[in-house]
Amino acid sequence: MTRYADIPKPIRSGIVVVDPERGTPQRIIVLQFNPDTLERSLAPQSAGGSGDAGGGGSGGDRNEALRLKGPAEESWKFTAEIDATDQFEVAAPDGIHPQLATLEMLVQPTSVQLREASRRTRKGTIEISPIEMPLTLFTWGSKRVMPVRLTELSINESAFDVNLNPIRASLGIGMKVLSVSDLPAGHRGADLYLAHLAQKERLAAAALGGRLAELGLGRGL
C-alpha cells in the first residue's frame, strides 16, 4: 500500500533574485502553485534584414539566409495563482499583500533609489544613469534556470478579507529571457544563460533521430 509519506513532493517553480557581483541569492520567491500551462515563443535573430524571411526577390542578402547574428529572443507567459485560504496554518494578517508586493518590486526601483536619483538631480548632475535592478532568475525545475526580465505583471484580485486585504489573486506574468545579446560580457547572467543554452543542447542530443524512409525519402535527398 502506498503511503502519503512515500509520495515525493512536487518541485515548485519560482523566481530567485541574485546579487550579480557575488552570485548569492537575495530573495527566493516560490510560487504557491505551479502554473497549469506555459506559453513560450522563440524568435530567431536572422543575420539579414526582413527580406530574408520571405519569398524571393525581396532584397535580402542571399549569403545571409542561413546565418544567425545571435541567440533567439525567447519569451515566457504564464498565470500564477496566490490563495491565502489554501494556507490556513500560516497567519496572514495582511492577506496576500506581502506576496503581491514582492512580485511588484521586481519591476520597479526602491524608494531609496528614487530618492537618491532625485537628490543627484537637485545637485545638478547632468546625466542620471538608469537604475540597475538585481539579476532575476526564473526556475522551472533543474533543467530550466535562466536569467529573465519581467515584461508584464497583471494582477486580478478576486477575494478580500474584512479589512479589504486581498486573499486570492491570479497574476499574468510575462518574461523575456536575457541572453548574451542583452548582457555585457562577463556578467553572471550571461554565464547563466550559456549554461541554460548548454542544457538545451544536451536535451536535444538525447532525442532520437528519425530516418529518411519515414518521410518517404528512402532513396535519399
Side-chain angles (χ1 to χ4, degrees):
M1 185 175 75
T2 301
R3 300 175 301 173
Y4 286 111
D6 297 329
I7 301 175
K9 293 183 178 180
I11 293 175
R12 296 295 185 192
S13 57
I15 297 171
V16 183
V17 180
V18 177
D19 183 330
E21 296 294 331
R22 300 179 178 85
T24 54
Q26 295 180 324
R27 181 180 288 273
I28 300 173
I29 304 170
V30 180
L31 297 183
Q32 185 179 356
F33 307 105
N34 286 334
D36 292 329
T37 61
L38 294 173
E39 179 184 342
R40 302 194 299 125
S41 63
L42 289 89
Q45 293 196 64
S46 301
S50 58
D52 292 342
S58 57
D61 187 344
R62 296 180 182 180
N63 294 324
E64 303 293 326
L66 298 179
R67 296 182 184 274
L68 297 174
K69 61 182 180 182
E73 296 181 351
E74 183 175 356
S75 61
W76 291 51
K77 285 186 178 182
F78 59 87
T79 299
E81 305 287 340
I82 304 178
D83 190 344
T85 63
D86 192 65
Q87 298 177 315
F88 290 111
E89 72 281 1
V90 180
D94 300 316
I96 59 173
H97 270 309
Q99 295 92 322
L100 294 178
T102 298
L103 290 168
E104 290 176 51
M105 289 310 301
L106 295 177
V107 296
Q108 57 190 0
T110 66
S111 58
V112 172
Q113 291 171 319
L114 291 174
R115 287 193 179 99
E116 175 60 19
S118 178
R119 184 189 66 82
R120 293 177 61 190
T121 301
R122 290 195 303 270
K123 287 182 63 177
T125 303
I126 297 176
E127 182 178 355
I128 303 296
S129 299
I131 297 172
E132 182 173 358
M133 299 296 288
L135 175 62
T136 304
L137 307 179
F138 178 63
T139 70
W140 186 272
S142 61
K143 296 180 178 63
R144 288 173 169 174
V145 180
M146 66 213 82
V148 298
R149 180 179 67 242
L150 266 67
T151 57
E152 176 185 343
L153 178 60
S154 61
I155 303 171
N156 181 11
E157 300 175 2
S158 56
F160 305 86
D161 64 16
V162 294
N163 295 314
L164 292 185
N165 294 311
I167 57 175
R168 185 184 304 121
S170 61
L171 300 93
I173 298 177
M175 299 176 172
K176 179 185 186 303
V177 178
L178 299 179
S179 71
V180 291
S181 298
D182 304 301
L183 298 165
H187 193 281
R188 188 172 299 273
D191 293 338
L192 288 167
Y193 173 79
L194 290 174
H196 168 61
L197 187 59
Q199 178 66 60
K200 286 180 183 283
E201 294 166 358
R202 287 190 290 270
L203 292 172
L208 297 176
R211 296 175 298 170
L212 287 177
E214 294 175 292
L215 303 176
L217 301 173
R219 296 182 179 180
L221 297 175

